[in-house]
Amino acid sequence: MKIGILSRNKNLYSTRRLAEAAVERGHEVEVIDYVRCYMNIASKKPSIFLGDHELNDFDAVIPRIGASQTFFGTAVVRQFEMMGTYSVNESVAISRSRDKLRSLQLLSRKGVGLPVTAFAHDTRATKSIIKVCGGAPVVIKLLEGTQGVGVVLAETTKAAESVIEAFRGLNANILVQQFVKEAGGADIRCFVVGGKVVAAMKRQGAEGEFRSNLHRGGAATLCKISPAERATAVQAAKVMGLNVAGVDLLRSNTGPVVMEVNSSPGLEGIELATKKNVAGSVIECIEKNVASLSTTKTRGKG
């Protein structure tokens, strides 16, 4: 097969490992800077170009779309889908997962465990949404934030009110969530590929830090997950429509709760922590699905 990896930087660990795994399994690989692509949206013959080169001979693509390029990146993925190219994660699933509010609403509808979450536009509802989340402390999140940026722990009601009013004063959309104290500043990253958890790691936040993101100094270790955690991670990825997903769970007193479903999960932390060939699992998933393009549900639909 010829596989395209949609990535802005071929030297990133995740991009490099996916390319290596594909080559090891006998495939041809090209890393495509999707931001430099342009599209011809012609009737019955959609096409996509990088410079003067038409990208019309790929069997599959692996989207590694950065959060800041979601709109254009998903348009590129969608164009490949219109051309009949298999995408391991579909454009609509990527868009769905990138919208924190929409993803939580979809997970809630399917009964997936979640922390109590509130959302409002009117600052006059501030006291009410803090109360809905069980009172302080609460976690306040910017809808557009990634990698722990724009996430604040408000330990008192007064602090929560001040942060919420400040964010709303900047016209920022925010979520307010229950603080799961029993998690102890740790979460579980489950890497789901093709409906199975292929690797899992525990991420522990640095001392004094409630966010466990590795980008913020968190430490990753191999983790054994429970059947309930495994089932929750698989179901969350399924609800989002993602073949490849990083599902972040917290261990709460009521069972596993989903914090986020990531459509472009990094490979470095989980491969180093678990010593598993996660990149190889992604390529194997593509091999199983690419023969039947009917698995790309959005093909020709938009």
Side-chain angles (χ1 to χ4, degrees):
M1 286 192 298
K2 185 173 182 181
I3 299 174
I5 302 175
L6 306 181
S7 173
R8 303 232 48 211
N9 186 348
K10 65 181 180 180
N11 295 316
L12 290 175
Y13 180 94
S14 298
T15 303
R16 192 174 72 248
R17 281 289 298 122
L18 288 165
E20 290 171 355
V23 171
E24 286 170 3
R25 298 179 71 92
H27 305 299
E28 183 183 350
V29 180
E30 183 177 334
V31 177
I32 302 166
D33 184 350
Y34 56 91
V35 171
R36 294 178 55 222
C37 292
Y38 63 94
M39 293 159 270
N40 180 3
I41 307 171
S43 178
K44 297 185 180 180
K45 195 181 183 303
S47 54
I48 188 164
F49 295 84
L50 181 62
D52 295 328
H53 177 45
E54 184 174 1
L55 306 176
N56 62 352
D57 56 347
F58 287 89
D59 298 291
V61 291
I62 304 173
R64 301 289 306 173
I65 307 300
S68 64
Q69 298 293 343
T70 298
F71 181 81
F72 188 78
T74 51
V76 172
V77 176
R78 188 162 54 246
Q79 189 77 353
F80 273 111
E81 291 169 355
M82 298 303 169
M83 294 162 56
T85 303
Y86 173 79
S87 177
V88 69
N89 279 339
E90 298 176 11
S91 56
V92 67
I94 297 169
S95 298
R96 194 182 290 143
S97 68
R98 287 287 165 82
D99 185 332
K100 285 189 177 74
L101 179 60
R102 182 185 181 192
S103 63
L104 288 172
Q105 290 173 320
L106 292 170
L107 293 168
S108 172
R109 185 175 67 182
K110 293 297 184 179
V112 177
L114 298 170
V116 178
T117 304
F119 178 71
H121 179 79
D122 193 338
T123 54
R124 288 173 294 185
T126 296
K127 291 185 186 296
S128 297
I129 62 177
I130 294 171
K131 185 178 179 180
V132 164
C133 294
V138 293
V139 177
I140 302 162
K141 296 181 176 181
L142 286 173
L143 281 182
E144 294 80 15
T146 61
Q147 298 177 349
V149 177
V151 180
V152 178
L153 173 62
E155 300 198 27
T156 67
T157 299
K158 193 67 178 176
E161 290 174 351
S162 297
V163 172
I164 291 169
E165 289 172 7
F167 278 152
R168 289 301 303 135
L170 296 171
N171 205 30
N173 289 312
I174 59 168
L175 294 174
V176 180
Q177 287 188 324
Q178 164 197 12
F179 176 58
V180 183
K181 184 178 180 180
E182 58 269 26
D187 72 1
I188 308 297
R189 162 60 64 91
C190 296
F191 207 107
V192 180
V193 179
K196 296 180 180 178
V197 177
V198 299
M201 65 177 175
K202 180 179 180 180
R203 302 185 299 186
Q204 181 68 55
E207 186 175 353
E209 174 62 74
F210 78 99
R211 293 166 293 186
S212 58
N213 306 73
L214 300 185
H215 293 85
R216 309 200 70 82
T221 55
L222 179 65
C223 175
K224 183 176 176 60
I225 59 174
S226 69
E229 290 165 346
R230 187 177 300 274
T232 297
V234 169
Q235 187 183 10
K238 182 179 179 181
V239 170
M240 291 296 103
L242 295 168
N243 284 316
V244 174
V247 182
D248 297 336
L249 307 174
L250 293 182
R251 288 174 166 167
S252 77
N253 291 334
T254 58
V257 294
V258 175
M259 295 301 292
E260 188 173 2
V261 183
N262 193 321
S263 59
S264 294
L267 297 178
E268 185 171 10
I270 199 144
E271 286 200 333
L272 295 178
T274 65
K275 310 301 181 188
K276 292 187 177 180
N277 182 7
V278 178
S281 297
V282 174
I283 303 304
E284 185 179 359
C285 175
I286 293 171
E287 291 169 348
K288 289 179 179 178
N289 289 324
V290 76
S292 174
L293 288 176
S294 62
T295 56
T296 303
K297 305 176 189 67
T298 55
R299 181 170 173 250
K301 298 178 183 177

